[in-house]
Amino acid sequence: MTHLPPPAEELRLLDAELRQLDARRAQLLTRRAWLVAALHQAQQRPHAQASPWPPQAAPARPETAAPSVQNVLLVLGGVLLTLAAAVFTLVSWGHMGIAGRALVLGAVTLATLAAPVALLKRGLRSTAESVAGLGLALTVLDAYALHAAALAGTDGTGYAAAATAVLAAAWTAYGLLPATSALRLPLPCALAAAQSPLLLWAVAADAGPHLITAAMLVTAGLDAVAVARLTAGAVRITAVVGAYGMGGWGVLGASWLSVTAGGPGDACRAGALLLLAAVIAVGSARRGPGVRHALGLAVTAGLLVVGALGGVVRSVVPSAWVVPAHLAVGITLLAAVRAGRLPDALRRGLAWASGAVQALAVLTTLPVVVVVLLGPAGRLARVWSGAPSDARAAVTVDVPWPPHATAAPVVLVAVAAVLALAVRTEVWRPRARLGALGLLWATALILAAILELPYAAGLLVLGVLTGAALYACRITASAAQVTALVLALVTAAGLTLVSLASQSATLAVLSALTTLFAAASWRADVAPFTAPVSVVYAGALASASGAAADWPAARTALLVLLVAAAAALLAARLGASRATVPVETVGAALGLFAVALVLTDPPMLALVLALCGVIAAGTALRAERRPVGYAATALFVLAAWVRLAAWDVGTPEAYTLPVTVPALLVGALRRRRDAQASSWTAYGAGLAATLLPSLVAAWADPMWTRPLLLGVAALLITLLGARYRLRAPLVLGGWVLALVALHELAPYVVQVTGALPRWAPPALAGVLLLALGATYEQRIRDVRRMREVLGRMH
């Protein structure tokens, strides 16, 4: 209810605000004078008491502006009066006669509608708006009272239609009168009331759903005309809301009628309603609420045209061709855009509508493409179960064939043609061509299954598609190259799955794919992707060949290792190429796969591990792959251990010496290259690998052979450590020698201890402690001297 006041009223308000500001200024100046005087007195009398008078408090600041208070009061007053009038009309109406009713109604309504004239002359515009709203509400109550008293026998819906039409006309006339033209409430209310007559008349006449929908669309069209002719303001906003509201409900009703049409006649009538809605949308787009709405309205108009014409065609064609029918209408929109002279916003909107229809049509073909690509995955559980009868049976293993798939190639080809021919802008043309390429690929992919070609023909089609996609990788444009590469990989995967039905087909397909991807790897830009894929298919071919020859898994692993070795040689040949690491990674994965194949056969597992070690050692010969040597060593050790386990060898030295000897040789080479290297780094791990397990075995061994040999070896290691002044051999050998000696002397110590009296061991321990205490200082010096000697060793 807040409105901009007229100039005289606004001037009065400004004067009032200025007077308040002047009063506030005078108050602040008085306070400032008092503060200056107080400060002056404080400077003259520093020890004087402060003024007993407290400073004057500032007046409370109003929290609500005067116009807001005014509007609240006016709105509440109008609401209360309206409620009172409603209660009077509904409750007290029956206590008065005919003359009294007419007199009260006429007097109250006329007085209320006339009051805003006087209020406007006095400049009370907000009050006039409130009273006018009350008067409009009274007219509604008058209409209700008239029907209840004099026209109770008439149809309620028809009377409501006539009453809303009369009220809309009366409110319009009231808002256009010279004396009340300044009021802003009557015209929007009249326009809001005008939304109902046509719809109510259609309902009162027992019209069918088509006429009711037409009434809503006609009302929306009238609202659109009002929007085009009115300037900005509440009336125009009301018209916009009415146009969108009635138009939206009308479009929903017409769409439902089109979808549920029982024959061509019903479809034509529903299509006519949709075309009416499209005409309204086009007219609103050209002269509607603004440019920002024009694009959306144009898109809506295009979709409505497609729905109208497509619905008519749908009623006369088989269900399988419904999507192509709508697609044809959508493509026709592009022809209309190019042929006619339309505003830019309308042209772009129709183009976007056509694009949306084409995108939806392509989405309907997605189930067919998914079945063709992923359906053969069911063959993984039944490999080489037998060649199917045709290409469709080859892809529908565990999934049903989608209905209405016959029209899918038509849809894909039509959209591809539009993308290739209709898009001409420099920015979108390359992208459109890529899209057309993808759609044509999808068409060729599903064509064999749709036509139910023979199984071999289906395989041939997929193979040709793979080769063509790999050949297309020669394109220098990055986006096109990536697209072609992705299509090649996807097609090759689908071809592999389909070929699993037949043994001969599997071998032929894997051979062809290995060759195709290897040939494509000559291009350096795609080699990082095609070279490892070629190695993968070569490994798959080796596995399939072994299975076809009825070889056990252990022998098949040797074939897989051949591919891994070839991958290592290829990686060495590639050098610093970007394809080197992917090829090596795939080769390592094939080596692990070969190991997995022979896990249940220890002798073959040892052989495979040794061969993997040979491959790793060969790779480690390259300067940039030296760390692979550790993996080679580990593989050789594992191979030796598995071989020994296969021979049922339980002696720990048989497992530890193959580790110790190479470790000591490597340590010796390390010391020759770097004389400053620690003996622990060079020899510690190698010596510990044999000495510690042998020491544990010696303590549990009742025989004398192992302790004797271990003691001799520990003595030699200790002497070598002392000779070359190396800490690791000296410490490890000395401790092992001491522990072995303790193990050998333990029985005799136990025997002697049993022959002595019980008091002898404690006495001997006490003597020992006294002796140690007596020579404590000397022993400390000896220990320090020994530590210095060891510290000078390497």
Side-chain angles (χ1 to χ4, degrees):
M1 295 297 296
T2 300
H3 303 289
L4 293 176
E9 180 65 17
E10 186 176 4
L11 181 60
R12 185 184 65 79
L13 294 175
L14 291 177
D15 290 339
E17 293 290 339
L18 290 175
R19 284 195 297 272
Q20 292 179 3
L21 291 175
D22 291 338
R24 180 61 175 164
R25 175 179 173 81
Q27 181 183 4
L28 293 176
L29 289 175
T30 302
R31 178 63 179 169
R32 181 180 182 280
W34 182 88
L35 290 175
V36 171
L39 290 175
H40 182 67
Q41 292 177 4
Q43 292 176 359
Q44 291 180 354
R45 295 178 298 172
H47 300 289
Q49 295 182 353
S51 174
W53 302 102
Q56 184 178 0
R61 183 180 179 182
E63 297 180 354
T64 307
S68 300
V69 176
Q70 163 196 300
N71 290 334
V72 171
L73 294 176
L74 292 176
V75 170
L76 288 177
V79 170
L80 291 176
L81 288 175
T82 303
L83 292 176
V87 171
F88 170 77
T89 304
L90 297 176
V91 178
S92 301
W93 182 259
H95 300 289
M96 301 180 64
I98 298 297
R101 299 173 187 176
L103 180 61
V104 170
L105 284 175
V108 172
T109 304
L110 291 177
T112 305
L113 294 176
V117 178
L119 293 174
L120 289 174
K121 290 181 179 180
R122 292 179 175 271
L124 303 176
R125 182 168 181 176
S126 298
T127 307
E129 293 283 1
S130 299
V131 176
L134 176 60
L136 298 180
L138 287 175
T139 57
V140 177
L141 294 176
D142 291 343
Y144 169 77
L146 180 61
H147 179 266
L151 302 175
T154 60
D155 179 58
T157 306
Y159 178 80
T164 51
V166 172
L167 288 176
W171 292 350
T172 302
Y174 181 71
L176 295 177
L177 290 176
T180 56
S181 59
L183 295 175
R184 299 183 179 182
L185 192 59
L187 292 181
C189 292
L191 191 56
Q195 306 300 312
S196 305
L198 289 179
L199 179 60
L200 293 176
W201 273 327
V203 174
D206 292 330
H210 292 84
L211 290 179
I212 294 176
T213 305
M216 288 189 288
L217 292 176
V218 170
T219 303
L222 296 176
D223 289 332
V225 173
V227 171
R229 293 184 174 275
L230 295 174
T231 58
V235 183
R236 195 166 191 266
I237 293 174
T238 306
V240 170
V241 173
Y244 278 110
M246 298 299 290
W249 284 109
V251 168
L252 289 177
S255 301
W256 176 255
L257 293 174
S258 178
V259 171
T260 59
D266 293 339
C268 289
R269 285 186 290 174
L273 294 175
L274 290 174
L275 289 178
L276 175 61
V279 171
I280 296 172
V282 170
S284 300
R286 301 187 65 174
R287 300 180 181 179
V291 178
R292 59 182 180 179
H293 298 276
L295 180 61
L297 291 172
V299 173
T300 303
L303 295 177
L304 289 174
V305 171
V306 173
L309 300 181
V312 175
V313 177
R314 182 177 61 248
S315 63
V316 296
V317 298
S319 58
W321 296 98
V322 171
V323 174
H326 285 81
L327 178 61
V329 180
I331 295 175
T332 307
L333 290 179
L334 292 178
V337 170
R338 293 186 177 277
R341 296 181 179 179
L342 301 174
D344 292 339
L346 187 57
R347 293 174 63 252
R348 287 188 289 112
L350 293 178
W352 277 104
S354 176
V357 173
Q358 296 177 56
L360 292 175
V362 171
L363 285 179
T364 60
T365 65
L366 190 59
V368 185
V369 178
V370 171
V371 168
V372 172
L373 283 177
L374 302 181
R379 297 285 178 188
L380 294 173
R382 52 191 75 145
V383 178
W384 296 349
S385 58
S389 58
D390 52 53
R392 181 179 297 183
V395 299
T396 54
V397 181
D398 296 323
V399 295
W401 183 248
H404 310 317
T406 308
V410 178
V411 172
L412 293 173
V413 171
V415 177
V418 172
L419 290 176
L421 301 176
V423 180
R424 299 180 181 179
T425 58
E426 295 295 332
V427 177
W428 289 97
R429 186 169 180 79
R431 304 174 188 176
R433 288 183 175 180
L434 290 180
L437 177 64
L439 294 177
L440 292 177
W441 167 82
T443 304
L445 186 70
I446 66 176
L447 195 59
I450 290 176
L451 298 178
E452 298 184 83
L453 297 179
Y455 175 65
L459 292 176
L460 181 61
V461 170
L462 293 177
V464 171
L465 281 178
T466 305
L470 288 175
Y471 182 79
C473 292
R474 299 167 57 90
I475 302 174
T476 56
S478 59
Q481 192 176 74
V482 170
T483 303
L485 183 60
V486 171
L487 295 181
L489 294 175
V490 173
T491 310
L495 176 59
T496 304
L497 293 176
V498 173
S499 67
L500 295 178
S502 171
Q503 175 179 312
S504 58
T506 302
L507 296 176
V509 166
L510 292 178
S511 302
L513 291 178
T514 303
T515 305
L516 286 175
F517 280 96
S521 300
W522 288 105
R523 292 188 57 85
D525 47 358
V526 297
F529 305 96
T530 56
V533 172
S534 177
V535 176
V536 169
Y537 280 115
L541 177 61
S543 301
S545 300
D550 292 330
W551 284 3
R555 295 180 64 184
T556 304
L558 298 178
L559 288 179
V560 177
L561 274 184
L562 288 178
V563 180
L569 295 175
L570 177 61
R573 178 70 178 83
L574 292 174
S577 172
R578 292 188 297 122
T580 302
V581 174
V583 169
E584 288 178 335
T585 303
V586 173
L590 290 177
L592 293 177
F593 177 66
V595 171
L597 290 176
V598 295
L599 284 178
T600 58
D601 190 349
M604 288 300 298
L605 177 59
L607 177 61
V608 170
L609 288 173
L611 293 176
C612 289
V614 172
I615 297 173
T619 303
L621 294 177
R622 295 156 52 193
E624 68 277 7
R625 293 292 184 268
R626 296 297 187 201
V628 183
Y630 297 105
T633 303
L635 289 170
F636 284 131
V637 171
L638 287 175
W641 287 356
V642 172
R643 184 70 265 180
L644 291 173
W647 286 337
D648 296 328
V649 175
T651 304
E653 288 77 12
Y655 295 90
T656 57
L657 287 176
V659 178
T660 297
V661 174
L664 292 178
L665 292 177
V666 173
L669 293 176
R670 172 72 182 276
R671 290 276 298 174
R672 290 186 61 182
R673 295 181 180 179
D674 184 10
Q676 301 299 323
S678 173
S679 61
W680 288 106
T681 304
Y683 305 117
L687 293 174
T690 294
L691 291 177
L692 297 181
S694 297
L695 179 62
V696 174
W699 272 75
D701 192 352
M703 305 301 293
W704 59 271
T705 308
R706 177 178 282 109
L708 177 62
L709 295 177
L710 181 59
V712 172
L715 178 60
L716 291 176
I717 292 171
T718 304
L719 295 175
L720 289 175
R723 169 68 180 79
Y724 293 102
R725 304 177 67 182
L726 299 175
R727 183 180 301 176
L730 182 61
V731 173
L732 289 174
W735 275 103
V736 171
L737 180 60
L739 292 174
V740 170
L742 178 62
H743 173 266
E744 293 301 315
L745 295 176
Y748 300 101
V749 172
V750 172
Q751 182 179 0
V752 172
T753 304
L756 293 175
R758 293 186 177 183
W759 54 266
L764 293 175
V767 172
L768 179 60
L769 290 176
L770 289 176
L772 290 176
T775 58
Y776 185 77
E777 184 177 1
Q778 181 63 36
R779 299 302 180 188
I780 291 177
R781 286 198 300 266
D782 293 342
V783 171
R784 290 177 178 173
R785 188 179 296 109
M786 181 61 70
R787 187 173 58 187
E788 292 176 357
V789 172
L790 292 176
R792 290 192 296 270
M793 295 181 180
H794 295 287

